[in-house]
Amino acid sequence: MPDGPYFSPEIETMGRGDLDALIDERVRYTVQYAADHSPFYRHWFREHRINPDEIRVHEDLLRLPLISGKTIRENQPPVTPEFRFLSTDWSNVFTIQETSGTSGTPKGFFLTSDDWKRYAEKYARSFISQGFSSRDRIVICASYGMSVGANTMTVAAHKIGMGVIPIGKCSFDSRILRNYRPTAIVGSVFKLLRLGRRLNAEGVKPSDIAVDKLVAGGESFAEESRKYLSEKWDCPVFNTYGSTEGSMCGECTRLNGLHVPEDIVHLDVYDPRLGSYVPDGECGRAILTTLLPVGGKSGMLLLNYDTEDTTVILSRNKCECGRTHMRIYNPQREAETAWIFDNAMNRVDVEAAVFQTENMEDLTGEYESFIDEGEVPGEEVLRISVECLDTGKCNRKGITDRVIDRFLKYKPGLALEYVEGNLKIAITFTEPGGLELFHQKGRPRRLIDRRKKA
Ligand SMILES: [Zn+2]
């Protein structure tokens, strides 16, 4: 059982030249595998007049078109009679997974036992990079079922020899933490914040329990909310970015970006307007390509898949942890980006404005925001609602000023519109449980654009 510092030392610390050569070898094999085994790709290569043999190195992937979640949905029932992305015989399929379906029909994914090994490897590397070992015992709050996350973490824990408490949700009794003394919890930032508040209300302090690491995943978050969560739990919070589609990146103990397991998933950052990759350090869409080792088999693979998440490649240089695999900035959902007067803003910008240390003396951290048309033409209104611990004692003036200042701080275009009176920002305060999102089903939406589309 590997007890760190690496799960697969040879590959995780491989020099850039060797790693790039390995990636290119896998690009060639994977493209050929797709052409040979996937009805969708066989047709796709023909339709776009691409000879799979001509895709030799990872840069050649740019010559291939992008696909998206929509492409997958259009190539599975009920649109087509068969699952056209299925790239193996049904008898080789070990599990069938689905994406959550928040943006339409769930996408079906087929995993062979080979795929499972690679999915678990990605999580195992991430756990080890965060200091996990066979001595750890982890509560898994992510839901089991058809999404791949919780199950993969469990298999990864088995590989590491780590204990698992497979609760599958964050609304568990605090006796779990007191009696079984887990050392870590994996869940979403907001669920971990709520769990912390509940423990606090029950009089349980971080020092009463054994948790010394939290792993956050499932949604992007502001650095400010991570800092707050880390203070409340008095332990580090590690970020992860995983999906059923196969992205699984994790922060190591250095907390300087998420390592991409480059030998298993290839990630490009792309600018849809330019139709090209953006240079390292610039923001673009994360495009992923499954990589199979030569001889490997897969139930479903993706080439040039547009995740619709935005990110930045921070570095391809060796990390202080010794890993050579590239690091990316915490990805944000494009669906949570809105445009006001031609300026982009993301849900996470609102979160950063809310989660400032002084605000958090009065707030729970729960928030939601709306963009509306103003009362006069050419006016737009950003409404931010925050939940107070006690509406009677909340410093409304101080919070309002700080939220607006922080929100506009890195948005000079919007700051100008605000000064000129075209952009109004309204902060409202609710009692606990008073936000609209508590009445919604599914994943809470914290930034809702209610303007009529032009
Ligand atoms: Zn590192």
Side-chain angles (χ1 to χ4, degrees):
M1 296 289 179
D3 255 5
Y6 308 110
F7 183 74
S8 297
E10 198 184 323
I11 214 136
E12 289 179 78
T13 61
M14 188 176 266
R16 179 48 58 186
D18 288 343
L19 184 57
D20 278 338
L22 182 72
I23 292 167
D24 291 341
E25 178 188 72
R26 292 187 175 188
V27 164
R28 288 190 288 277
Y29 177 77
T30 306
V31 166
Q32 197 56 55
Y33 185 92
D36 291 344
H37 295 89
S38 154
F40 170 79
Y41 283 110
R42 200 175 301 134
H43 176 77
W44 190 68
F45 286 123
R46 223 182 300 132
E47 184 189 357
H48 294 284
R49 296 169 205 278
I50 297 158
N51 179 356
D53 285 344
E54 287 170 9
I55 309 300
R56 307 298 302 163
V57 292
H58 63 270
E59 287 90 348
D60 293 337
L61 290 170
L62 189 59
R63 290 158 50 194
L64 305 180
L66 299 187
I67 62 160
S68 66
K70 189 163 166 275
T71 321
I72 299 176
R73 288 192 195 94
E74 285 171 351
N75 285 278
Q76 68 170 35
V79 183
T80 56
E82 305 288 336
F83 285 91
R84 303 189 70 240
F85 274 89
L86 175 63
S87 59
T88 189
D89 193 81
W90 278 94
S91 63
N92 297 324
V93 174
F94 172 43
T95 66
I96 298 170
Q97 313 291 141
E98 276 187 352
T99 56
S100 61
T102 39
S103 47
T105 320
K107 302 186 286 272
F109 276 81
F110 303 89
L111 273 67
T112 61
S113 53
D114 249 23
D115 290 314
W116 267 94
K117 279 188 205 133
R118 287 187 290 273
Y119 272 61
E121 163 97 21
K122 287 182 267 190
Y123 272 93
R125 285 187 202 170
S126 175
F127 279 138
I128 295 279
S129 80
Q130 291 154 358
F132 283 85
S133 73
S134 56
R135 293 177 295 282
D136 280 291
R137 194 153 46 247
I138 188 166
V139 178
I140 297 183
C141 292
S143 73
Y144 284 80
M146 290 194 77
S147 69
V148 86
N151 288 301
T152 326
M153 288 178 222
T154 305
V155 179
H158 182 246
K159 280 178 176 262
I160 299 170
M162 181 162 88
V164 170
I165 304 178
I167 296 179
K169 54 186 191 318
C170 258
S171 54
F172 56 82
D173 197 282
S174 60
R175 90 189 140 74
I176 300 284
L177 301 181
R178 288 195 304 264
N179 296 359
Y180 305 124
R181 315 246 342 132
T183 56
I185 309 177
V186 51
S188 74
V189 165
F190 279 87
K191 285 183 177 159
L192 293 168
L193 278 174
R194 280 177 215 163
L195 176 61
R197 277 204 299 281
R198 195 151 53 78
L199 295 178
N200 198 32
E202 291 175 27
V204 181
K205 290 189 273 303
S207 53
D208 297 339
I209 54 174
V211 171
D212 63 9
K213 296 182 241 15
L214 296 176
V215 178
E219 61 191 10
S220 60
F221 50 81
E223 210 39 60
E224 285 79 358
S225 50
R226 181 227 293 270
K227 182 169 165 272
Y228 178 72
L229 181 63
S230 177
E231 281 166 11
K232 284 287 159 191
W233 280 85
D234 194 22
C235 70
V237 177
F238 299 107
N239 189 15
T240 58
Y241 170 62
S243 65
T244 302
E245 287 87 340
S247 62
M248 173 51 213
C249 311
E251 272 176 331
C252 67
T253 50
R254 306 301 158 124
L255 298 177
N256 55 7
L258 291 85
H259 282 285
V260 179
E262 288 189 66
D263 58 310
I264 307 179
V265 56
H266 178 68
L267 186 132
D268 284 311
V269 179
Y270 183 86
D271 183 334
R273 289 165 305 176
L274 300 177
S276 66
Y277 300 140
V278 301
D280 290 2
E282 285 183 24
C283 186
R285 297 274 267 280
I287 307 295
L288 68 87
T289 292
T290 316
L291 293 183
L292 302 178
V294 172
K297 289 185 173 54
S298 178
M300 177 151 167
L301 49 86
L302 299 172
L303 305 177
N304 273 5
Y305 177 78
D306 185 351
T307 59
E308 290 170 41
D309 293 335
T310 56
T311 191
V312 177
I313 294 178
L314 295 174
S315 176
R316 292 178 203 263
N317 296 332
K318 189 175 183 174
C319 176
E320 286 171 30
C321 73
R323 287 174 184 79
T324 50
H325 292 229
M326 73 181 189
R327 283 166 282 142
I328 59 169
Y329 181 75
N330 191 1
Q332 297 188 347
R333 276 169 206 278
E334 192 106 305
E336 292 184 328
T337 297
W339 294 79
I340 306 179
F341 301 113
D342 290 331
N343 291 271
M345 62 150 293
N346 190 274
R347 191 261 304 163
V348 171
D349 297 322
V350 177
E351 188 171 308
V354 172
F355 274 87
Q356 297 178 81
T357 309
E358 285 169 289
N359 294 350
M360 296 311 290
E361 287 167 16
D362 292 337
L363 302 180
T364 64
E366 298 287 350
Y367 70 92
E368 63 191 0
S369 54
F370 305 92
I371 306 169
D372 290 311
E373 283 156 14
E375 287 171 9
V376 295
E379 188 182 281
E380 315 247 304
V381 185
L382 173 65
R383 298 176 203 279
I384 301 174
S385 302
V386 292
E387 191 184 68
C388 303
L389 291 164
D390 178 348
T391 40
K393 291 193 201 139
C394 196
N395 176 3
R396 296 172 187 229
K397 172 80 172 72
I399 293 170
T400 300
D401 291 347
R402 282 190 294 268
V403 168
I404 295 175
D405 277 356
R406 175 64 178 78
F407 178 76
L408 296 174
K409 192 172 177 186
Y410 302 106
K411 308 218 166 294
L414 287 180
L416 190 65
E417 300 290 351
Y418 180 76
V419 169
E420 290 181 352
N422 301 324
L423 171 66
K424 306 270 193 241
I425 303 178
I427 316 294
T428 54
F429 297 84
T430 74
E431 70 283 2
L435 297 176
E436 288 184 24
L437 65 87
F438 295 119
H439 308 292
Q440 297 164 8
K441 286 211 171 73
R443 188 194 289 273
R445 290 174 66 205
R446 295 181 190 273
L447 174 65
I448 300 177
D449 191 344
R450 298 191 290 203
R451 292 171 295 182
K452 284 192 225 67
K453 297 279 180 278

